[in-house]
Amino acid sequence: MKPVLSVEHLTVETTNGQPLVRDISFSLAAGQIVGLVGESGCGKTVTSLALLRLLDEKIIRQSGKIVLEEQDVMALSDRSLRTIRGGKIAFIMQNPMSAFTPVYTIGHQLMETIRTHDRCSKHEATSRAVEALREVNLEQPERILKAYPFELSGGMLQRVMIALAVCLRPNVLIADEPTTALDVYNQKQVLYYLEKVRATYGTAILLISHDLSVIAEMADDVLVMQDGEIVEQADVFELFDRPQHPYTQRLLIQHGMQAGARNA
Amino acid sequence: MSLLRMEQVSHRYGKRRVLSRQAERTVLQDVSLTLETGMCLGLLGKSGAGKSTLGRILLGLERPKAGRVLFEGQDIYGTHPKDYRQDIQVVFQDSFAAVNPKLTAGQIIAEPLTNFTRLSPEALEQKLITLIEQVGLTRADLAKYPSAFSGGQLQRICIARAIATNPKLIVLDEAVSSLDMVNKAMILKLLRELKETYDLAYLFITHDVQAAQALSDQFMILEQGQIVGHYPTPQAFDQATDPYVSAIKDAMLATHPRKRTIRK
């Protein structure tokens, strides 16, 4: 199958030469979920930001090839990048508390995004926003549209962000720790919803998580990252049954200990 | 005398709260709890249940509308914050929001020390090095700014700040929820060691049942502002079959892809 997004030899380093991501390659096909796991600070988030060229080019150098539906992302102008961001590749950030502007209502921010990418009336944008919020199981969506970000809990905000990312039907969804801020009840629902999006619209999802349970539930393939390098890349079943790299083995042992504590 | 007692605490938020038709919304209703020295109470509940509000009341940050909070027999809302601030510390959920981005890690950790103790610059420097190494970072990190750290690393700095004044009680408000499992296991181990060394008490607010089980001696479940379950021992919690505990256990994710339920 032809990949929607392919990344070849992506390298990211600071301008004073400190490497952050070292020569990584992977691809995402339509309807596929690729999991990216690793410790905090290993370069998972930098990778996802590099895919959208969101890193500050004054202090960060990136090289390699990023191809999104036959378009070379590295060669795009700022203007064309803006149409891709949010439209073709959507991003769910790790920290919902700081991802929204505190001075505008949720409704304003949702509708701004919808109307930047799609020509539609305010009325239509509102109904699409309400529909999107309902799909992530938020009660009373009309009220949420009138709320400011600080009036919602972290779990609710994260679901708003998922609604926002998904309402434009992107081909690729980068979910950077999408459930880390959610409680256990909401976590499973959000994962169900991501799966529903994948199954319904054939969205390719890059699922970044440090939680191996999330990866176990969702991924087709898994990339294991350590210090900016992909040390192992395998099918999810293969990875859990026969981890090859010592680092993966260590992660799985820790995961197993936690699972043991859970069942004890 | 108990270290801390909450007696019949009720709290409401005014009409600035959205998502409720009435102008006021009750967030806590007749909550009573007791914390003894060296004990960890795990407080579980959904997002929006009132867990963080309970933590804020206990810290003296939010005067409850009814009820009393006694720290070592003294009503904390009847005394000057300086009398207990050193003894009750907190680690919040969102580490980026909990630190001043214009201060270095060293300055962040030094703040409570300079407020409450008189140390010579050399002794302060030495104390900072001890603290930062205690949480698994290096002395070189003291000179860095928050933006140079990942979420997990920054949370360790917040923990170093919390233990700087040798408190008797620490409120851990989702303190490990955003950490990856390697760091989570490390921080939980560190918190356990600190608890034993200094006879610390914790109020561990979390939705992460595994983390709660790794640290807590007692458990409570908060639902819509009310305590709906109190389990005085870890065994009592494991064996409980009431709907609140079952709901938590149902929401847990699979630990291996073969057991997964979301994607078949």
Side-chain angles (χ1 to χ4, degrees), chain B residues 2 14 23 115 136 150 162 205 213 221 253:
Chain B
S2 303
N115 285 346
S150 68
I205 298 172
Q213 286 178 317
I221 297 181
L253 299 178

Side-chain angles (χ1 to χ4, degrees), chain B residues 46-104:
Chain B
K46 295 185 188 187
S47 49
K51 305 191 295 295
S52 293
T53 303
L54 195 152
R56 288 174 59 81
I57 288 174
L58 201 146
L59 285 162
L61 296 174
E62 188 118 17
R63 184 185 284 271
K65 302 282 185 212
R68 296 197 302 169
V69 184
L70 303 175
F71 183 71
E72 297 184 318
Q74 293 273 332
D75 188 336
I76 63 169
Y77 289 94
T79 53
H80 193 273
K82 262 220 142 142
D83 296 342
Y84 59 84
R85 176 60 65 236
Q86 193 174 350
D87 292 327
I88 312 180
Q89 287 285 326
V90 62
V91 179
F92 284 113
Q93 181 170 9
D94 183 348
S95 53
F96 285 99
V99 296
N100 183 341
K102 295 178 87 173
L103 298 183
T104 64

Side-chain angles (χ1 to χ4, degrees), chain A residues 63-253:
Chain A
S63 62
K65 211 168 152 192
I66 302 166
V67 181
L68 172 73
E69 297 181 311
E70 290 161 14
Q71 255 184 321
D72 183 0
V73 175
M74 297 296 280
L76 290 178
S77 64
D78 283 355
R79 202 190 156 90
S80 356
L81 275 173
R82 267 202 299 279
T83 62
I84 284 182
R85 293 175 188 150
K88 288 194 169 163
I89 305 187
F91 205 110
I92 297 167
M93 303 242 182
Q94 185 168 8
N95 193 340
M97 310 279 194
S98 54
F100 289 94
T101 313
V103 295
Y104 292 116
T105 60
I106 296 292
H108 181 104
Q109 298 183 54
L110 268 171
M111 280 157 61
E112 184 190 17
T113 308
I114 295 172
R115 297 187 73 199
T116 303
H117 291 280
D118 287 344
R119 231 170 246 265
C120 63
S121 67
K122 264 192 182 164
H123 183 76
E124 199 190 326
T126 310
S127 59
R128 278 174 69 176
V130 166
E131 185 50 38
L133 292 177
R134 200 167 276 139
E135 274 193 271
V136 283
N137 230 347
L138 284 164
E139 287 157 31
Q140 299 184 310
E142 291 85 359
R143 271 168 200 282
I144 290 177
L145 289 184
K146 292 196 189 108
Y148 286 90
F150 53 83
E151 293 177 290
L152 303 179
S153 71
M156 294 166 94
L157 273 182
Q158 190 64 303
R159 282 185 282 166
V160 171
M161 184 142 60
I162 289 167
L164 175 62
V166 162
C167 70
L168 287 163
R169 310 278 174 255
N171 306 48
V172 179
L173 186 61
I174 299 172
D176 188 358
E177 306 280 5
T179 60
T180 307
L182 303 186
D183 66 30
V184 287
Y185 311 88
N186 289 323
Q187 168 171 271
K188 206 162 188 179
Q189 286 176 343
V190 163
L191 293 179
Y192 269 121
Y193 184 50
L194 284 178
E195 163 58 12
K196 190 173 135 199
V197 170
R198 185 203 67 83
T200 317
Y201 307 107
T203 313
I205 302 176
L206 178 65
L207 180 63
I208 300 174
S209 184
H210 59 248
D211 186 345
L212 280 171
S213 296
V214 172
I215 299 296
E217 286 280 0
M218 302 291 288
D220 296 298
D221 285 337
V222 187
L223 311 167
V224 182
M225 195 171 218
Q226 184 188 22
D227 294 333
E229 268 179 283
I230 291 179
V231 294
E232 186 164 355
Q233 177 162 8
D235 173 79
V236 66
F237 291 95
E238 191 66 25
L239 187 98
F240 275 77
D241 287 336
R242 282 173 291 278
Q244 300 297 315
H245 195 275
Y247 180 68
T248 316
Q249 291 163 359
R250 211 180 88 211
L251 286 182
L252 279 164
I253 289 169

Side-chain angles (χ1 to χ4, degrees), chain A residues 39-40 95 151 156 180 182-187 195 198 210 216-220 241 255 258 262, chain B residues 16 19 21 46-47 94 177 179-181 183 207 210 248 253-258 260-263:
Chain A
E39 281 177 74
S40 60
N95 193 340
E151 293 177 290
M156 294 166 94
T180 307
L182 303 186
D183 66 30
V184 287
Y185 311 88
N186 289 323
Q187 168 171 271
E195 163 58 12
R198 185 203 67 83
H210 59 248
E217 286 280 0
M218 302 291 288
D220 296 298
D241 287 336
H255 175 65
Q258 291 209 342
R262 175 193 296 184
Chain B
R16 280 173 58 213
L19 311 177
R21 251 168 236 290
K46 295 185 188 187
S47 49
D94 183 348
S177 308
L179 302 182
D180 66 56
M181 57 194 162
N183 286 316
H207 61 254
Q210 290 164 259
I248 292 175
L253 299 178
T255 51
H256 191 283
R258 253 194 302 282
R260 68 188 181 186
T261 54
I262 298 174
R263 283 194 78 186

